Amino acid sequence: MEPTCSSDAGAPETNVKRRRFLVGAGAVAAAGLGLKSFRTFDESARRAEVFIAKADSYDANLEEPIRAGLSALGFGPSRVAGKSVLLKPNLVEPTREAPHVNTHPALIRAAAAVFRGWRAREVFVAEGQGHCRDSELVLEQSGLEPVLDEERLEFVDLNHDDVFFVANTLRFTNMERLGLPSMLRRADLIVSMPKMKTHHWAGVTLAMKNLFGVMPGVYYGWPKNVLHFAGIPGSILDVNAAVRPHLAIVDGIVGMEGDGPIMGTPRHAGLLVMGTNLPAVDATSARLMGIDPWRVSYLAAASGRLGPIAERHIVQRGEPVQPLVQNFQLLDHPSLAGLRI
């Protein structure tokens, strides 16, 4: 089935249709990188916990570190039982040749098993990939299709979901309101499951940037043009404030360095990073990549507004950060200069 794609945005609400199914049954964007000048917030009143787990391979028992990490964060059966859980992976590009581009299917399978084991009412997978691709092709090429089929996990194509609108309360961009997919209303718990990757414009793409895939392509265009024109860092902040995700599980077993989020090279880090506050999770992940989160514009702006990013305000669970730091390669570009710790 060929997708219906258009770079135009602002589709009439009456034309935004949902597409849901059960499997088996640069240059333009670079113009919007700047953030408005906002006063600095004091994050000292905020605290967050982040759990780092070692996971050397996708063939390992990944349920164990996920279960241990979430339990250590106080996110156990009592938080999950009876809830609808939305797993939001990063499926930016369908490719068998470069599995380091997308969240690995084994991690999605393991997370679903943990939440089901904790008596979630339902677990489903949802994504609105940035590039205009047919969803069946994306699932097949990414390797996720057989996992969804075997585990009987529903997949929701957020690019073609019905849209509802909320006020843009944070206003890092000029967008007065944000159109969100109706499936977010179905979910009690929204879990961002990104790849640990560098990004050729934003510096890093982690749990916060992964929420671009929540925004419906039928309204925001491909690859979410409206958000790019409005400014990538500001859009990341506005979207996170609107969606208000509950949890992040970062796939850092094999990440990406260099020309991310698509054209980079694999980097084995052997890690999972988890937490209930996405800025804290992303700040910790950035440090593990050898990148200073204070020099990543959207993370610095999130400080005190959406969460803490200072090490002294993040309670570290599981493995310590410093022995696990790897310097992910960055593109040699002025916009990325100075990101190193």
Side-chain angles (χ1 to χ4, degrees), residues 30-51:
L33 287 180
L35 282 173
K36 295 178 180 178
S37 177
F38 278 74
R39 66 186 178 89
T40 302
F41 271 57
D42 181 5
E43 69 168 43
S44 61
R46 288 182 173 267
R47 295 290 188 276
E49 298 183 353
V50 174
F51 190 95

Side-chain angles (χ1 to χ4, degrees), residues 200-324:
H200 49 201
W201 292 322
V204 294
T205 173
L206 297 159
M208 293 179 69
K209 175 64 171 63
N210 187 44
L211 293 188
F212 263 38
V214 166
M215 311 305 280
V218 290
Y219 192 80
Y220 288 97
W222 280 267
K224 312 300 168 80
N225 302 14
V226 173
L227 303 180
H228 286 74
F229 275 112
I232 293 175
S235 292
I236 292 171
L237 292 156
D238 286 350
V239 168
N240 275 263
V243 174
R244 302 180 66 181
H246 303 86
L247 183 67
I249 304 173
V250 179
D251 178 2
I253 298 175
V254 178
M256 181 186 291
E257 62 183 354
D259 192 8
I262 297 174
M263 303 299 293
T265 55
R267 180 66 181 257
H268 181 271
L271 299 172
L272 299 175
V273 187
M274 293 166 262
T276 58
N277 182 270
L278 270 62
V281 169
D282 284 3
T284 299
S285 298
R287 290 185 174 99
L288 289 165
M289 300 166 74
I291 293 169
D292 185 352
W294 291 105
R295 298 179 182 182
V296 176
S297 61
Y298 68 87
L299 288 180
S303 168
R305 293 183 173 90
L306 299 177
I309 70 167
E311 286 184 277
R312 66 184 181 277
H313 298 148
I314 300 174
V315 179
Q316 192 62 57
R317 305 293 187 192
E319 302 291 335
V321 173
Q322 195 54 45
L324 300 175

Side-chain angles (χ1 to χ4, degrees), residues 22-25 63 104-110 112-113 116 123 125 139-140 143-155:
L22 180 64
V23 176
E63 293 179 38
H104 199 281
L107 187 64
I108 299 168
R109 185 200 297 267
R116 283 174 164 175
V123 180
V125 180
L139 296 177
E140 189 270 330
L144 185 56
E145 182 179 34
V147 170
L148 297 175
D149 193 15
E150 292 161 12
E151 303 300 329
R152 295 194 62 79
L153 284 166
E154 181 185 0
F155 178 82

Side-chain angles (χ1 to χ4, degrees), residues 21-275:
F21 56 93
L22 180 64
V23 176
V28 169
L33 287 180
L35 282 173
K36 295 178 180 178
S37 177
F38 278 74
R39 66 186 178 89
T40 302
F41 271 57
D42 181 5
E43 69 168 43
S44 61
R46 288 182 173 267
R47 295 290 188 276
E49 298 183 353
V50 174
F51 190 95
I52 301 172
K54 290 183 178 179
D56 190 63
S57 167
Y58 294 109
D59 295 326
N61 178 4
L62 298 179
E63 293 179 38
E64 182 177 335
I66 293 174
R67 190 179 295 110
L70 297 186
S71 297
L73 295 168
F75 209 99
S78 63
R79 293 284 302 275
V80 175
K83 302 293 179 59
S84 173
V85 181
L86 186 163
L87 304 181
K88 196 291 179 190
N90 180 216
L91 299 178
V92 65
E93 182 72 13
T95 172
R96 290 176 175 172
E97 291 73 25
H100 56 290
V101 171
N102 299 314
T103 306
H104 199 281
L107 187 64
I108 299 168
R109 185 200 297 267
V114 169
F115 289 121
R116 283 174 164 175
W118 285 345
R119 305 187 310 280
R121 184 176 78 254
E122 65 170 351
V123 180
F124 65 100
V125 180
E127 168 68 312
Q129 65 272 11
H131 290 182
C132 186
R133 299 290 187 270
D134 178 52
S135 290
E136 284 91 347
L137 174 66
V138 172
L139 296 177
E140 189 270 330
Q141 289 289 314
S142 68
L144 185 56
E145 182 179 34
V147 170
L148 297 175
D149 193 15
E150 292 161 12
E151 303 300 329
R152 295 194 62 79
L153 284 166
E154 181 185 0
F155 178 82
V156 177
D157 181 352
L158 297 179
N159 274 330
H160 299 277
D161 200 1
D162 292 330
V163 176
F164 69 96
F165 294 89
V166 298
N168 181 9
T169 57
L170 205 54
R171 295 305 299 268
F172 269 92
T173 67
N174 291 324
M175 294 182 289
E176 294 185 0
R177 63 178 189 168
L178 296 171
L180 303 178
S182 65
M183 283 298 105
L184 296 188
R185 288 173 161 168
R186 169 178 158 185
D188 300 305
L189 300 174
I190 300 170
V191 185
S192 180
M193 298 187 66
K195 263 297 195 193
M196 181 180 285
K197 296 190 288 188
T198 55
H199 192 282
H200 49 201
W201 292 322
V204 294
T205 173
L206 297 159
M208 293 179 69
K209 175 64 171 63
N210 187 44
L211 293 188
F212 263 38
V214 166
M215 311 305 280
V218 290
Y219 192 80
Y220 288 97
W222 280 267
K224 312 300 168 80
N225 302 14
V226 173
L227 303 180
H228 286 74
F229 275 112
I232 293 175
S235 292
I236 292 171
L237 292 156
D238 286 350
V239 168
N240 275 263
V243 174
R244 302 180 66 181
H246 303 86
L247 183 67
I249 304 173
V250 179
D251 178 2
I253 298 175
V254 178
M256 181 186 291
E257 62 183 354
D259 192 8
I262 297 174
M263 303 299 293
T265 55
R267 180 66 181 257
H268 181 271
L271 299 172
L272 299 175
V273 187
M274 293 166 262

